[in-house]
């Protein structure tokens, strides 16, 4: 195989890697294991996205569309163009539901009892697909390969073709991982049971068409009986190897879903209790905060009243200051007589301010102040 360069035919962008959703892988593998006599085929549904740092697009496979084979052979399989149109219409419907660019991004088929590497027919078929879409990818599931230890080996490969039809195509292997995308797996993942159910329906329709054709081509009643016996044998194996396992799978899925639903309901009840407890704590803290706010407001009012009283006291002191300021301070070189006169005037003024005048006596304002200490010191 060639090395990946990130460019496809004519320099177009190719696929750098493939991310296969678990449900899609399960359906593809289940489809590949239904028969070891012929190859099976289906289409891959998903989206291709250019990611930063990638040399090409990343193909995210989220779903599978199972096809009815128009021709069944051990080394190849064919589908009708009508089925391709139906698969494209289904992809467009899923794109409308998911709101994402979901489309047919690849195909898959099985290699029973042979290597996982693509054959020259596979590479040429892949090249013809890429002529319409250079990011188209191919998956191969190699099944029913028995090791020396009598254990079954299952291999999966993703590939593209490089080159052109005139010079021939070469296979280019693409890295593949199984990973949950988160989109639209939540929606397409629920389609897994329906896809598996459609797998049983497709296989039954294929076998029924072959049985009807054999009945029409029978040249004698013995050939008709032989064809009917083969069809009945298929039906018995069909029920044993596919219907019953599918039924058991769906039963286990339903049991697990009910168990998960019960645990989710219990978790919901615990979360509701925790929510109620937190709401009660918030309500209690709100009451405490309101009480604290009330206390702070009362303390603020008391402090404001105290400040107002202090301001009033300061105002009273300021109003009495001008009367005392009427007496200018003597200079440093004043005589003893001048100091005595000034002190006497201050004492008389203070005494007149504090002591009420006697009854019938005239106020100090009506008579001049008597000099005190007129004698020299």
């Amino acid at each position: 195989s060639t090395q990946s360069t990130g460019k496809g035919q004519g320099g177009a962008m190719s696929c750098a890697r493939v991310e296969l959703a678990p449900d899609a892988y399960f359906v593809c593998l289940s489809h590949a294991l239904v028969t070891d006599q012929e190859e099976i085929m289906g289409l891959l549904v998903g989206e291709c996205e250019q990611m930063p740092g990638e040399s090409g697009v990343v193909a995210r496979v989220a779903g599978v569309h199972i096809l009815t084979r128009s021709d069944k052979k051990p080394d190849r399989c064919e589908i009708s163009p009508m089925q391709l149109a139906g698969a494209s219409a289904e992809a467009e419907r899923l794109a409308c539901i998911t709101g994402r660019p979901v489309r047919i991004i690849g195909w898959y088929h099985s290699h029973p009892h042979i290597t996982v590497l693509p054959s020259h027919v596979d590479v040429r078929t892949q090249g013809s697909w890429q002529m319409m879409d250079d990011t188209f990818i191919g998956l191969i599931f190699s099944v029913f390969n028995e090791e020396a230890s009598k254990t079954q080996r299952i291999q999966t490969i993703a590939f593209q073709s490089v080159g052109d039809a005139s010079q021939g195509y070469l296979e280019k292997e693409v890295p593949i991982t199984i990973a949950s995308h988160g989109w639209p797996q939540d929606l397409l993942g629920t389609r897994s049971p329906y896809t598996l159910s459609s797998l049983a329906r497709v296989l039954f329709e294929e076998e029924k068409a072959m049985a009807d054709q054999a009945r029409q081509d029978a040249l004698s009643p013995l050939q008709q009986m032989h064809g009917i016996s083969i069809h009945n044998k298929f039906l018995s194996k069909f029920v044993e190897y596919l219907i019953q396992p599918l039924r058991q799978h769906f039963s286990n899925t339903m049991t697990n879903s009910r168990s998960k639903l019960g645990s989710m309901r219990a978790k919901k009840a615990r979360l509701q209790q925790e929510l109620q407890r937190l709401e009660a704590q918030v309500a209690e803290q709100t009451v405490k905060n309101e009480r604290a706010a009330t206390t702070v407001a009362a303390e603020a009012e008391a402090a404001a009243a105290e400040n107002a009283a202090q301001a009033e006291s300061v105002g009273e002191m300021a109003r009495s200051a001008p009367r005392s300021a009427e007496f200018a301070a003597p200079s440093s070189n004043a005589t003893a007589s001048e100091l005595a006169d000034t002190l006497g005037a201050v004492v008389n003024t203070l005494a007149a301010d504090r002591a009420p005048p006697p009854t019938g006596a005239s106020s100090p304002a009506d008579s001049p102040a008597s000099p005190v200490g007129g004698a020299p010191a």
Side-chain angles (χ1 to χ4, degrees), residues 28-42 66-79 107-123 125 139-144 159 199 202-203 206 210:
C28 291
L29 187 58
S30 300
H31 192 190
L33 291 172
V34 297
T35 176
D36 64 341
Q37 301 299 320
E38 309 97 10
E39 292 186 0
I40 55 87
M41 179 181 175
I66 298 176
L67 302 174
T68 302
R69 295 168 292 177
S70 58
D71 185 20
K72 298 190 296 183
K73 295 181 180 180
D75 60 343
R76 67 190 64 187
C77 56
E78 298 179 359
I79 59 175
W107 67 299
Y108 72 94
H109 69 287
S110 66
H111 277 187
H113 301 291
I114 60 175
T115 178
V116 72
L117 297 177
S119 64
H120 66 283
V121 176
D122 298 333
V123 175
T125 303
L139 300 184
I140 298 177
F141 292 83
S142 176
V143 292
F144 301 107
F159 73 100
L199 171 60
V202 167
L203 294 177
E206 290 179 353
M210 293 184 62

